[in-house]
Amino acid sequence: MRCSMTKCTFGVLVLLCGVACANTSINDTEDSQNGWVLVDDFENGSILEQWTNIDAQNETDPYIPNPQVSEIRSDPETGNRYMLRKPAAEGVVGNRKALGFMSLPVPIQVGETYTLYIRINVEYFPNNQSFGLSNVSASEIANQNYDAFEPMIRITDKHESDGYKNDGTLMVLSGYKTYSKIINPATGKPARPLEAGQWYELWCVVNNASIEAGGQRYDLYIRGGEFVKQQSVFSGAQFRMQRTLPLIMLMTISNTGPHNAPYGNGGVRYDDIYMALGRKLSSPLY
């Protein structure tokens, strides 16, 4: 069928409009993500399908199989869903290495810098929990446990073996099994302890280059609590093992402590975990 010039022109305009709208939609999607890749936001499904949970040193007595608490919960006021992790239910002691881990959607190759964004919320103190990234395979994490970490962030108010009492200030690694509190740049002194029930945003900038190239280090930025605006709170924290391998796992570990000196079973809420190439200090949420 022949079409008139008017009909053909109209058809071309419709076609061009459709292409333009499609391109706009693609661009808008890219802009909304802004380079961030979702790791997990706990909004899909009622179980932690992507996560593996292992109690690598279960010394509960009487023995309780699978004592760690790792589940998705929902805020009763907002409906927001998050992951709660704790070494065991209140009153249960002896689960010394409650592990949880999942594969990153994008491995961080040697030589690359990535930013990990995560929101955390301490359920209550006493508490002893760490989280970070690993370059150890899933089959080896239980054997390596704490030594599976490279960049690692620590929440604890427990006594150390030398008698020093931690106070719940967020900490990073400053050497193998050596921790430093984050610093408030306004005072030059350690930040205040984390506030239970308060959400904090963290940006962990991970440099997975070789040591010789200035890598195997990470910087930490935070917003929340005493930090109304985003602040740099530690630069040059050190990877735990410095293996210089691709980082492939997101990992958490919590610990009730031993029967004769329990640490406490406070949990940590995790939400909105994203990663992005480079040093990216924007928010993936807004």
Side-chain angles (χ1 to χ4, degrees):
M1 180 193 304
R2 291 183 61 187
C3 63
S4 67
M5 180 64 69
T6 301
K7 289 183 178 180
C8 288
T9 302
F10 177 76
V12 171
L13 289 174
V14 169
L15 178 61
L16 290 174
C17 180
V19 172
C21 290
N23 287 339
T24 301
S25 176
I26 292 171
N27 291 334
D28 285 348
T29 301
E30 291 173 348
D31 289 342
S32 66
Q33 294 300 317
N34 203 22
W36 290 104
V37 176
L38 177 65
V39 179
D40 205 341
D41 63 3
F42 313 106
E43 293 297 333
N44 295 317
S46 58
I47 59 175
L48 298 169
E49 296 176 344
Q50 301 181 78
W51 291 79
T52 299
N53 300 315
I54 300 175
D55 296 310
Q57 189 179 341
N58 183 354
E59 299 173 354
T60 55
D61 185 19
Y63 182 79
I64 299 173
N66 308 314
Q68 72 168 277
V69 176
S70 51
E71 57 193 32
I72 293 176
R73 293 193 178 178
S74 178
D75 186 294
E77 295 183 0
T78 66
N80 180 61
R81 291 154 58 91
Y82 57 84
M83 175 176 69
L84 174 69
R85 303 197 75 95
K86 49 198 296 172
E90 191 60 37
V92 176
V93 181
N95 198 19
R96 305 299 311 279
K97 296 181 176 71
L99 294 158
F101 54 89
M102 66 167 288
S103 297
L104 292 174
V106 181
I108 303 175
Q109 301 294 344
V110 174
E112 291 183 330
T113 293
Y114 263 78
T115 301
L116 178 73
Y117 173 91
I118 184 168
R119 296 198 308 129
I120 63 166
N121 182 315
V122 174
E123 182 188 30
Y124 59 81
F125 288 101
N127 203 305
N128 186 64
Q129 191 154 169
S130 299
F131 58 95
L133 300 178
S134 175
N135 47 24
V136 173
S137 66
S139 62
E140 283 298 311
I141 283 181
N143 293 329
Q144 297 283 343
N145 53 83
Y146 283 98
D147 284 348
F149 279 113
E150 290 291 6
M152 175 181 175
I153 299 171
R154 189 187 194 208
I155 301 168
T156 189
D157 58 339
K158 79 179 187 74
H159 283 91
E160 301 291 0
S161 56
D162 62 2
Y164 175 77
K165 176 71 165 64
N166 292 292
D167 63 4
T169 299
L170 202 65
M171 292 189 286
V172 296
L173 280 167
S174 52
Y176 179 67
K177 294 186 178 181
T178 304
Y179 303 95
S180 294
K181 295 179 179 180
I182 62 171
I183 301 297
N184 186 331
T187 64
K189 297 179 179 180
R192 296 199 296 264
L194 296 172
E195 301 173 31
Q198 168 75 53
W199 283 102
Y200 293 82
E201 295 176 275
L202 304 180
W203 291 259
C204 185
V205 182
V206 176
N207 182 347
N208 199 30
S210 66
I211 296 173
E212 295 76 14
Q216 303 301 287
R217 295 179 176 272
Y218 59 108
D219 303 334
L220 189 64
Y221 299 77
I222 188 171
R223 178 164 55 208
E226 67 188 286
F227 302 104
V228 178
K229 297 182 179 179
Q230 182 191 71
Q231 293 287 347
S232 170
V233 290
F234 205 94
S235 297
Q238 298 181 27
F239 284 20
R240 185 178 177 100
M241 306 303 292
Q242 302 184 351
R243 298 180 184 91
T244 317
L245 294 170
L247 296 163
I248 57 175
M249 294 285 178
L250 173 67
M251 172 180 164
T252 73
I253 189 168
S254 55
N255 188 339
T256 68
H259 286 275
N260 62 349
Y263 304 151
N265 291 17
V268 175
R269 303 176 179 103
Y270 297 91
D271 200 5
D272 299 319
I273 309 171
Y274 289 79
M275 60 188 296
L277 181 64
R279 182 181 299 267
K280 198 169 192 64
L281 303 181
S282 61
S283 170
L285 304 180
Y286 46 82

